[in-house]
Amino acid sequence: MANVSHPRGDITSHPDAPEMQARYARMLGGRDVALVDGPVFLLGLYCAVSPWILHFTTSQPPLVAHNLIVGIALGLLALGFTRAPERMYGLSWAMCAIGVWMIISPWIVGSNPDAGVIWNNVVIGALAVILGMVCAGTAARSAPHRH
């Protein structure tokens, strides 16, 4: 019969322990802004469907396709942040750029946009810039510092 009462030493003496600790730290390293992933996804979803919510599908056809594409792009960024945060948070600045583009797009893509369309895109853009800056700031704080 096996002696099960014999103490087994702790895992720190295992030869692979440092590698396992480093891998675990890498996996959790980018999750500092996990609470931002959801709002970014919801912002992208709203951006994609906003032409139908605000009923500007007939008055601004170019902005309909534009908001749909930008909303899908924001949603994909959010999914990327969730799936591979350590690789994707470098794209936080791209989200800021998308936000700035959303703010100016009613005048560039649209034709004579009304106040509702302008406010919709400005609010979406401002939120994208803010969330992008939060992601970028957190990524900069959690990035390993190399000397």
Side-chain angles (χ1 to χ4, degrees):
M1 178 164 229
N3 183 3
V4 293
S5 64
H6 179 64
R8 294 184 182 221
D10 63 19
I11 189 119
T12 57
S13 63
H14 192 281
D16 293 334
E19 180 184 340
M20 290 186 291
Q21 289 172 340
R23 186 176 187 193
Y24 186 71
R26 277 194 315 268
M27 284 178 22
L28 294 179
R31 298 308 308 155
D32 293 341
V33 286
L35 294 177
V36 178
D37 299 352
V40 171
F41 183 77
L42 291 174
L43 182 66
L45 181 63
Y46 173 75
C47 181
V49 298
S50 65
W52 291 275
I53 293 173
L54 297 179
H55 303 291
F56 62 86
T57 54
T58 56
S59 65
Q60 298 291 327
L63 274 173
V64 172
H66 171 269
N67 281 22
L68 180 63
I69 292 167
V70 172
I72 291 170
L74 286 172
L76 289 174
L77 278 174
L79 291 175
F81 293 156
T82 301
R83 180 71 177 116
E86 66 281 353
R87 294 183 197 156
M88 291 293 293
Y89 283 121
L91 289 176
S92 303
W93 293 111
M95 192 163 55
C96 293
I98 289 172
V100 170
W101 172 250
M102 281 300 291
I103 292 170
I104 62 173
S105 66
W107 295 280
I108 296 173
V109 178
S111 56
N112 283 338
D114 63 2
V117 171
I118 293 170
W119 275 108
N120 179 62
N121 280 22
V122 167
V123 169
I124 290 171
L127 288 172
V129 168
I130 291 167
L131 290 171
M133 289 172 63
V134 168
C135 288
T138 305
R141 279 195 316 273
S142 66
H145 299 288
R146 294 187 179 111
H147 298 304

